[in-house]
Amino acid sequence: MNNELKAIFTKRIIELQQRVDSIHQDFADGRNSDWAEQAAERENDEVLNALESEAKNEIQQLCNAISHIEKGNYGICQACGGSIAKQRLLVQPAAIKCIHCAD
């Protein structure tokens, strides 16, 4: 099961890194000389920055989850030592606390 999770998380990390690379390429493509177009591009840049930040955050969380899998403590609450419900891990794979301790 844990090897399957590592494979799933790794695949997602690769997808997210490709998204980040695509965003970087969009920034590298330069800007239009038309002022109106530049204004629209600046708005687009804000959206791209937010998407990049979100992707990098998810990559970090997934890397942390893989680290917990490798250490053998994935799915164990760091606060109380109990099990983290599978349903919680399906929704939030990088969860480090059970639902009771997360509040």
Side-chain angles (χ1 to χ4, degrees):
M1 174 69 170
N2 285 344
N3 285 335
E4 291 175 32
L5 286 174
K6 278 176 63 174
I8 291 168
F9 295 164
T10 301
K11 181 179 177 190
R12 179 69 178 146
I13 289 169
I14 291 168
E15 292 169 356
L16 290 165
Q17 189 57 55
Q18 288 172 343
R19 181 184 302 169
V20 169
D21 293 345
S22 177
I23 289 169
H24 288 179
Q25 183 59 47
D26 188 59
F27 284 133
D29 285 344
R31 297 294 167 241
N32 196 304
S33 61
D34 183 306
W35 286 94
E37 283 294 318
Q38 286 180 7
E41 288 172 347
R42 278 192 295 279
E43 288 179 20
N44 185 45
D45 288 351
E46 290 176 21
V47 172
L48 290 175
N49 281 328
L51 290 172
E52 178 184 18
S53 178
E54 223 175 82
K56 286 182 175 181
N57 185 43
E58 188 175 347
I59 288 169
Q60 184 60 52
Q61 289 180 354
L62 291 169
C63 286
N64 290 344
I66 290 171
S67 176
H68 288 292
I69 289 170
E70 291 171 348
K71 291 176 184 175
N73 60 3
Y74 182 73
I76 299 171
C77 178
Q78 290 184 354
C80 71
S83 293
I84 300 173
K86 287 184 182 182
Q87 296 84 355
R88 178 166 171 73
L89 292 171
L90 288 173
V91 174
Q92 189 176 3
I96 58 171
K97 293 183 181 178
C98 68
I99 193 71
H100 301 292
C101 294
D103 291 335

